[in-house]
Amino acid sequence: DAGITQSPRHKVTETGTPVTLRCHQTENHRYMYWYRQDPGHGLRLIHYSYGVKDTDKGEVSDGYSVSRSKTEDFLLTLESATSSQTSVYFCAISEGLADTQYFGPGTRLTVL
Amino acid sequence: QQQVKQSPQSLIVQKGGISIINCAYENTAFDYFPWYQQFPGKGPALLIAIRPDVSEKKEGRFTISFNKSAKQFSLHIMDSQPGDSATYFCAASIRGATNKLIFGTGTLLAVQP
């Protein structure tokens, strides 16, 4: 998976609890992305980063925040998880914004 | 103008048949069209990509056909096999620009033995 790891791979949590997902890359790519994938919706971009401390919103950013303190790490935080955030979350990386994206293995999050 | 419309949403093909997935776009500035393949429980992975300076690109049993005038591109899987059963995403972007890669909504392909 192009030197991309995600942790945890599976998580079950309760409504209202904070959750942080981690994406780690060893490719030194500038751009990193968080997507969620739900049946019938394909891949929807949550947030992306174009450098350390530089992030921007995607199409479904409400309820999510991100941080990137190092080139290799991109964190996705659900401040107060809701059942609608039950999904599979994918991290991706790319050299340029319009370049091929390489995806991590995904994190399956269940919010009860 | 930034959308990429993908069809069909799902597809069932018999082993040995041809699978065809279509994508259409509006932004004529798009100049990079990759296809991704995603197996259950895995992340999407780049399968094949094309630039609009060619009308067709073939890699093994997978072919991208590109129709610039119609603003459409398609993925053809020849001699489809059960191992090809996966979700396929098309995408488009403008290389070197400040626009992100735009994904289609995906096609779930099932190849029956």
Side-chain angles (χ1 to χ4, degrees):
Chain A
D1 289 319
I4 309 169
T5 57
Q6 293 184 231
S7 59
R9 294 294 314 280
H10 299 88
K11 186 171 182 65
V12 179
T13 191
E14 293 187 350
T15 298
T17 60
V19 176
T20 296
L21 308 183
R22 179 180 184 242
C23 177
H24 179 80
Q25 62 148 326
T26 58
E27 306 297 321
N28 200 36
H29 282 1
R30 178 181 176 187
Y31 292 88
M32 299 185 75
Y33 311 80
W34 277 108
Y35 290 90
R36 62 178 289 175
Q37 185 175 30
D38 305 286
H41 292 278
L43 294 162
R44 292 186 289 177
L45 182 65
I46 304 170
H47 282 280
Y48 70 100
S49 169
Y50 48 97
V52 174
K53 298 190 188 317
D54 293 322
T55 65
D56 204 353
K57 295 180 180 180
E59 60 181 300
V60 291
S61 58
D62 287 348
Y64 301 95
S65 62
V66 290
S67 64
R68 191 170 179 195
S69 59
K70 297 185 290 184
T71 298
E72 58 267 34
D73 290 326
F74 192 32
L75 304 181
L76 176 70
T77 297
L78 290 66
E79 299 291 347
S80 178
T82 67
S83 58
S84 65
Q85 293 176 312
T86 292
S87 186
V88 180
Y89 292 85
F90 287 101
C91 173
I93 64 174
S94 69
E95 292 189 58
L97 186 59
D99 290 343
T100 298
Q101 292 183 18
Y102 300 93
F103 286 80
T107 294
R108 181 172 295 277
L109 175 67
T110 302
V111 183
L112 301 176
Chain B
Q1 274 219 331
Q2 292 296 319
Q3 279 190 323
V4 176
K5 295 182 180 180
Q6 184 171 348
S7 63
Q9 188 172 1
S10 62
L11 180 62
I12 300 174
V13 174
Q14 296 297 314
K15 178 181 176 182
I18 302 174
S19 303
I20 302 175
I21 303 170
N22 300 299
C23 285
Y25 62 97
E26 289 296 322
N27 189 344
T28 56
F30 284 146
D31 62 358
Y32 177 61
F33 303 90
W35 283 89
Y36 285 79
Q37 180 187 54
Q38 183 184 25
F39 293 109
K42 303 291 187 182
L46 180 66
L47 178 64
I48 186 173
I50 196 169
R51 290 184 168 277
D53 52 348
V54 297
S55 60
E56 186 175 282
K57 182 174 181 179
K58 185 176 181 180
E59 291 187 3
R61 295 183 294 107
F62 299 90
T63 300
I64 299 178
S65 296
F66 185 80
N67 186 331
K68 190 173 183 177
S69 61
K71 292 183 287 186
Q72 296 177 346
F73 59 108
S74 60
L75 177 69
H76 295 237
I77 306 174
M78 311 300 288
D79 187 25
S80 299
Q81 300 295 312
D84 297 329
S85 297
T87 299
Y88 293 83
F89 294 95
C90 63
S93 71
I94 307 168
R95 297 301 292 272
T98 58
N99 300 305
K100 298 180 292 296
L101 194 62
I102 306 298
F103 286 93
T105 51
T107 296
L108 178 61
L109 171 65
V111 181
Q112 294 185 336

